[in-house]
Amino acid sequence: MRMSQGVEWAVHTLINLGCLDDDEPVSTTRLASGHDLPRAYLNKQLQQLVKAGLLESVPGARGGFRLARPPEAITLLDAVDAIEGGGALFRCTEIRQCGTIGARGAGGDFSVACAVKSSIGLAERMWRETLAGQTIAAIQAEALAHAPGMASAVRHAYGRD
Amino acid sequence: MRMSQGVEWAVHTLINLGCLDDDEPVSTTRLASGHDLPRAYLNKQLQQLVKAGLLESVPGARGGFRLARPPEAITLLDAVDAIEGGGALFRCTEIRQCGTIGARGAGGDFSVACAVKSSIGLAERMWRETLAGQTIAAIQAEALAHAPGMASAVRHAYGRD
DNA sequence: GTGCGAATACTCGGATACCGCGTGTCCGAGTAAGTGAGG
DNA sequence: CCTCACTTACTCGGACACGCGGTATCCGAGTATTCGCAC
């Protein structure tokens, strides 16, 4: 159960795009060279962010990607779900109803959710709520607090000079 | 990022073993047929629980597995880590330091943890804490509340008749 | 009847295949900019 | 000088390989039971 590496790329890219003050799109080439990432593969991840409605893509020459919403309106959960697909971490297969135990214990009420599913689901809800409570804007502010030069570095790397 | 199916098997098995009132080991064959699971593969998962110190294994004829600790002393986190390996969900590769942005932003303080890492790490800590706060005994009690016959079904399936 | 040894049946444990998903790459469709000729 | 069509260069988007980890299985090492035989 390891998180896809694309999540880290996606979040940093969203933060960087949030550092710009115009709406000009930034090409995959510039976004990739900004953090030494494989251009083609990063493009694949960006396409998923577009599908999720976090980015807008501009095709053709001088095209690229820009934020579809202000950074304050994009949460970590949005980014994680966009890359990972949004499915639940734990998927209950109801084995409690199978086999000799499930058959014999049929006197129980199977309409009530499985206790194992509920317990792990609670932890998963905490995880998702904590992700949903943090916006790209907030993370960007935290990063800028310890590296104030980042904003100008981003603007330079993205051709805003 | 999907959780291994073995986690569900492991937790249900731990709960079932907690329903017994003696210390006789239960063989993989009985544990598997209790929920219609593939015997050989379940055995692999049980071995991981042994390595993690949650189960004790008894070799030879009439051998099997039994709880190494009382159900009150086994948490969901113990089970998940035993099956999944215990590594972090998100692994930061420090791409913030790479590429034109990382190089130019070198004025920043890289000794401070990456803001992205911290943010996702916070969510991950919530996940792990919630898992650690739930014991096998508690889940078992919840399950028995809605299916009181389960305990006797388990004892029957495991040859305690 | 009793004790002992071999045969037996059963169990865990690690070594061995299979498959799907994450990872990485490539090429085609489409668009804006640049260029040069004609009016 | 202005307009316009063509060429060019660049970009996104989806289709195409590769490798690793989860999934599933099998066989060997080891032990308690059981059976048979000698005493």
Side-chain angles (χ1 to χ4, degrees), chain B residues 2-144:
Chain B
R2 199 179 92 266
M3 205 164 195
S4 168
Q5 190 164 11
V7 172
E8 184 179 9
W9 303 359
V11 176
H12 276 284
T13 300
L14 290 172
I15 292 174
N16 290 341
L17 286 174
C19 290
L20 303 179
D21 43 13
D22 55 58
D23 273 359
E24 294 299 308
V26 180
S27 73
T28 303
T29 301
R30 284 219 155 100
L31 292 171
S33 65
H35 287 301
D36 264 348
L37 305 176
R39 180 183 52 181
Y41 189 32
L42 174 64
N43 184 272
K44 192 185 187 71
Q45 315 286 359
L46 297 178
Q47 285 175 34
Q48 296 187 252
L49 295 182
V50 171
K51 274 190 181 174
L54 306 185
L55 291 183
E56 286 175 2
S57 67
V58 178
R62 307 267 307 174
F65 298 87
R66 65 167 151 254
L67 292 182
R69 302 201 292 260
E72 296 82 11
I74 301 178
T75 71
L76 264 184
L77 182 62
D78 293 331
V80 171
D81 275 353
I83 300 297
E84 296 290 338
L89 297 182
F90 175 78
R91 254 155 292 207
C92 180
T93 58
E94 290 291 334
I95 65 171
R96 66 171 172 162
Q97 299 186 26
C98 304
T100 57
I101 296 177
R104 198 180 171 87
D109 185 359
F110 282 152
S111 68
V112 177
C114 171
V116 176
K117 176 190 175 79
S118 308
S119 305
I120 302 184
L122 176 63
E124 197 166 324
R125 206 172 316 129
M126 292 298 171
W127 149 266
R128 293 180 69 86
E129 282 178 8
T130 308
L131 286 179
Q134 296 179 292
T135 67
I136 294 295
I139 302 173
Q140 180 196 89
E142 171 68 20
L144 287 174

Side-chain angles (χ1 to χ4, degrees), chain A residues 27-28 43 47 57-58 60 63-65:
Chain A
S27 72
T28 304
N43 183 271
Q47 285 176 35
S57 68
V58 178
F65 298 87

Side-chain angles (χ1 to χ4, degrees), chain A residues 30-152:
Chain A
R30 284 218 156 100
L31 291 171
S33 65
H35 287 301
D36 263 347
L37 305 176
R39 181 183 52 181
Y41 189 32
L42 174 64
N43 183 271
K44 194 187 186 73
Q45 315 285 358
L46 296 177
Q47 285 176 35
Q48 296 187 251
L49 295 181
V50 171
K51 274 191 179 172
L54 306 185
L55 290 183
E56 285 175 2
S57 68
V58 178
R62 310 265 308 173
F65 298 87
R66 67 167 149 252
L67 292 182
R69 301 200 295 261
E72 295 82 11
I74 302 177
T75 70
L76 262 184
L77 182 63
D78 294 330
V80 170
D81 276 352
I83 301 296
E84 295 291 337
L89 297 182
F90 175 77
R91 255 156 292 210
C92 178
T93 58
E94 290 292 335
I95 65 171
R96 63 171 175 164
Q97 299 186 28
C98 303
T100 56
I101 295 177
R104 197 180 172 89
D109 184 358
F110 282 151
S111 68
V112 177
C114 171
V116 175
K117 175 191 176 77
S118 309
S119 304
I120 302 183
L122 177 63
E124 196 165 327
R125 206 171 316 130
M126 293 297 170
W127 149 267
R128 292 180 68 85
E129 282 178 7
T130 308
L131 286 180
Q134 297 179 292
T135 67
I136 294 296
I139 302 173
Q140 180 196 88
E142 171 68 20
L144 287 174
H146 297 294
M150 190 188 78
S152 72

